[in-house]
Amino acid sequence: MSELAVNVKNLKYKYPDESWALKDVSLEVSVGESILLLGISGVGKSTLLMNLNGLLTPTEGTVQIFGKKVVEKNLKEIRRRVGFVFQNPENQLFCPTLWDDVAFGPVNLGFPPEQVEERVEKALKLVGLTTYAEKAPHHLSFGEKRRAAIATILSMEPEILLLDEPTANLDPRSVENIIKILREISSKGKTIIIATHDVNTLPQITDRTIIMYNGKIKAKGHTKELLADYEILEKYGLKLPIIGQLFHKLESDHKLSFDTSLPITINSAEQKIMELINRNK
Ligand SMILES: Nc1ncnc2c1ncn2[C@@H]1O[C@H](COP(=O)(O)OP(=O)(O)O)[C@@H](O)[C@H]1O
Ligand SMILES: [Mg+2]
């Protein structure tokens, strides 16, 4: 079996006000996988992510990262290997310049100046913000702040990247930028877990989807299959991706059948439509 990046067993998490945000979650993620952690608001996605890098520690059960348990004595190593991009980029940007913010992690990890420089340049290049290095982060647009926040994590070169709602509140161009960045990171063999309720954009870049509801994992499967499953999505308060909605409507209104797989991306829809056109020529 391939090496496990993340191994969560029977994880339960209770906030200090006694509310159970996670109720028995078990999950395995292999090295290099990209995972969509999907669910409506309040189901425990952020709480789960925070348990994966030790920002929170399990009330019951265990979390292992590359075989190392998330406990106090391993936290330093785990934080280095697992990067967390917060939903609000402003939580991640606090230095006078973008350069300083991106350098903050590697400096703290004790890298010598030339390596810090190399890492900062690499991270800024990947997110397309090289020319903004000397800018004050609070002067950046929201989309740029998101990319800047990703760069502050990339400069630490984590093996696992956790992203909380990375496309929330972004305009279409900025969403495209994020998708491109995540694709590139994923192609470098990093393990990525993306928490979101966005069924339209992020499925494109994830192999596997996990649906959460009420503090539990309710469904797991290939993104292409799970995101085309009307019943499961509806059951947990979610919707088919917009393309899938169209094909589902065609099926139910016109008694059509698109075999097993409902198209959920523009490319698969295009292919399906061309098949239909060619069949009827
Ligand atoms: N700091 C907190 N104290 C108490 N309850 C919290 C806290 N943060 C989140 N919760 C509760 O835990 C549940 C899961 O929250 P969260 O993990 O933020 O869900 P999601 O990210 O899926 O929206 C929610 O019911 C939420 O109200
Ligand atoms: Mg959340």
Side-chain angles (χ1 to χ4, degrees):
M1 211 181 101
S2 52
E3 191 194 352
L4 286 182
V6 173
N7 190 358
V8 176
K9 283 207 179 106
N10 305 110
L11 168 63
K12 298 184 186 175
Y13 185 81
K14 184 172 69 169
Y15 279 107
D17 70 355
E18 300 290 311
S19 57
W20 287 94
L22 298 176
K23 308 166 183 171
D24 205 359
V25 167
S26 293
L27 167 69
E28 293 184 352
V29 180
S30 298
V31 174
E33 266 195 302
S34 53
I35 304 279
L36 193 70
L37 189 60
L38 187 64
I40 55 170
S41 193
V43 297
K45 304 180 297 295
S46 300
T47 307
L48 176 56
L49 290 189
M50 286 190 274
N51 270 275
L52 300 185
N53 86 332
L55 281 172
L56 301 176
T57 44
T59 309
E60 284 178 37
T62 56
V63 176
Q64 287 187 323
I65 302 296
F66 298 110
K68 285 249 161 80
K69 220 166 155 179
V70 180
V71 288
E72 190 61 37
K73 74 174 170 56
N74 294 332
L75 279 192
K76 204 167 162 225
E77 181 185 344
I78 282 165
R79 296 258 168 82
R80 182 172 56 75
R81 301 181 79 176
V82 186
F84 193 124
V85 181
F86 291 108
Q87 180 167 0
N88 183 358
E90 273 144 23
N91 289 345
Q92 237 143 359
L93 305 165
F94 43 83
C95 292
T97 69
L98 175 58
W99 176 278
D100 294 334
D101 265 325
V102 182
F104 189 84
V107 167
N108 258 344
L109 291 173
F111 286 100
E114 59 283 8
Q115 274 188 46
V116 171
E117 196 163 321
E118 200 181 298
R119 282 166 171 249
V120 174
E121 277 170 11
K122 210 166 129 193
L124 286 176
K125 183 157 180 264
L126 207 150
V127 302
L129 290 177
T130 304
T131 56
Y132 291 68
E134 296 309 322
K135 261 200 164 219
H138 63 271
H139 288 156
L140 299 176
S141 74
F142 191 75
E144 288 159 356
K145 281 181 185 162
R146 262 273 155 69
R147 285 188 276 148
I150 294 176
T152 66
I153 300 304
L154 289 181
S155 62
M156 288 186 275
E157 302 193 352
E159 290 147 273
I160 302 175
L161 203 61
L162 312 174
L163 300 112
D164 203 354
E165 310 275 2
T167 56
N169 306 318
L170 291 183
D171 62 273
R173 171 74 60 83
S174 301
V175 169
E176 240 168 57
N177 284 333
I178 298 287
I179 298 286
K180 209 169 128 233
I181 293 164
L182 294 181
R183 260 216 186 101
E184 178 146 358
I185 297 169
S186 176
S187 74
K188 292 180 163 74
K190 305 251 188 215
T191 308
I192 303 185
I193 305 179
I194 307 171
T196 188
H197 58 263
D198 178 359
V199 292
N200 283 305
T201 39
L202 293 161
Q204 298 175 38
I205 50 166
T206 51
D207 316 315
R208 226 167 27 104
T209 291
I210 289 166
I211 296 181
M212 286 188 73
Y213 192 76
N214 191 19
K216 291 182 186 159
I217 290 177
K218 294 292 190 178
K220 300 180 192 178
H222 292 295
T223 297
K224 264 199 290 216
E225 288 162 20
L226 213 46
L227 268 290
D229 194 323
Y230 175 83
E231 275 84 28
I232 290 187
L233 293 170
E234 284 281 318
K235 192 168 170 191
Y236 301 119
L238 297 156
K239 291 235 167 287
L240 285 167
I242 191 89
I243 301 272
Q245 285 181 34
L246 168 65
F247 278 80
H248 185 258
K249 189 163 163 35
L250 286 169
E251 277 190 337
S252 50
D253 290 358
H254 304 281
K255 307 270 176 292
L256 292 172
S257 169
F258 297 104
D259 310 324
T260 46
S261 58
L262 207 63
I264 58 162
T265 61
I266 290 191
N267 285 344
S268 56
E270 180 187 26
Q271 203 182 337
K272 197 61 100 187
I273 290 168
M274 289 316 293
E275 271 170 33
L276 289 173
I277 290 174
N278 289 330
R279 207 187 291 164
N280 293 322
K281 258 187 188 162

